[in-house]
Amino acid sequence: MADLYLALLHHPVYDKTGAVVTTAVTNLDVHDIARMARTFGVRAYYVCTPVDTLRRLVARIMRHWERGPGATYNTTRRDALALVRLAPELDAAIAEIEDETGHLPRLIATSARGGPDRLSFDALRARLDAPGPPVLLVFGTGWGLAREVMDRVDDVLEPISGVGPYNHLSVRAAAAIMLDRLRNGR
Ligand code: SAM
C-alpha cells in the first residue's frame, strides 16, 4: 500500500474577495483531522502555517496531550495527536516525506470546485491500494487553495457532491467523507 499523508494549508489560500491570505490555525482542525488520520491509517498530518507563533501554539497543545496532563486524561486523543506534524509551508512537508520514505510524494489537491481531468475517488483508492510513491492529500482553509498550489499539484481530486449545486463543506467534513471513501469505498 502507498503511504497516505495529509496537509492542511493556511497559506496560500483565498479570502472571500479572492486575495491570497494566511488564515488562523483552529484547534478543531488540528484535533478532528488528527483523529481522522488515526482512524483511517494516515501516516502523518501536516498543519502548515508560516506563522511561527501559531506553530508554537500548536506545538504546545500537542505537548499537553502527548506528555502533559492530557496524556493520561484522554489517551485516544494522545494517539491521534501523535500523527500531527508542523510545517511552515507545503514544501517543508514534501521534503520531510521524501526524507522519510525515499520518494517525492504525489501531490493531490482537494477542492469543492469541479473541473476537467479531476482524479476520481476510485482511481485514487486504487493508487493507494497498490505499492507506489507516497500520496500527499492537500486541503485548503479560508476560501480554498490558491492557484499557485492548484497549478503545481499532480492531480486534483474530484469534489464531493451534494444533492444540488451547493457543496461547500468544512474542511473537517470534507476530510472525513474523503477518507471513508478512499479507505472503505463508501
Ligand atoms: N472555514 C471553512 C471550514 O470551516 O473548514 C474552510 C472551508 S475550506 C475552503 C474547505 C476545504 O475543504 C477546501 O479547501 C477543500 O480542501 C475541502 N472541501 C470543502 N468542500 C469540499 C467538497 N465539496 N469537495 C472537496 N473538497 C472540499
Side-chain angles (χ1 to χ4, degrees):
M1 261 174 57
D3 284 317
L4 176 61
Y5 292 83
L6 307 181
L8 180 63
L9 298 199
H10 296 86
H11 181 90
V13 292
Y14 292 124
D15 72 3
K16 67 185 290 188
T17 70
V20 173
V21 295
T22 301
T23 56
V25 176
T26 77
N27 201 30
L28 203 55
D29 287 342
V30 176
H31 286 248
D32 276 15
I33 298 176
R35 284 187 181 282
M36 289 170 215
R38 179 79 178 134
T39 301
F40 291 107
V42 169
R43 184 137 178 206
Y45 159 40
Y46 286 91
V47 176
C48 301
T49 172
V51 183
D52 291 348
T53 320
L54 289 176
R55 284 203 310 281
R56 280 204 298 276
L57 175 67
V58 177
R60 197 169 159 194
I61 294 169
M62 285 159 60
R63 269 200 309 280
H64 170 82
W65 293 105
E66 279 167 20
R67 297 195 289 278
T72 46
Y73 175 76
N74 187 336
T75 55
T76 63
R77 181 173 289 179
R78 182 196 60 200
D79 292 349
L81 285 176
L83 298 179
V84 177
R85 297 179 187 174
L86 292 164
E89 49 168 9
L90 179 60
D91 282 303
I94 293 171
E96 206 172 288
I97 294 169
E98 188 182 16
D99 278 353
E100 184 166 76
T101 64
H103 301 279
L104 270 177
R106 305 272 306 169
L107 291 185
I108 315 283
T110 61
S111 169
R113 284 189 305 278
D117 304 324
R118 293 301 197 234
L119 183 69
S120 70
F121 281 99
D122 286 345
L124 182 53
R125 189 181 321 109
R127 206 180 274 180
L128 289 168
D129 286 346
V135 168
L136 177 56
L137 195 56
V138 184
F139 294 90
T141 54
W143 260 250
L145 296 168
R147 175 124 197 206
E148 62 191 273
V149 177
M150 300 304 273
D151 281 350
R152 66 175 289 198
V153 295
D154 297 296
D155 286 293
V156 181
L157 187 60
E158 66 175 308
I160 297 161
S161 311
V163 293
Y166 187 98
N167 72 340
H168 301 283
L169 299 165
S170 74
V171 68
R172 297 167 302 286
I177 293 169
M178 280 176 196
L179 288 168
D180 189 32
R181 280 197 193 166
L182 292 173
R183 291 312 201 200
N184 298 319
R186 287 197 281 260

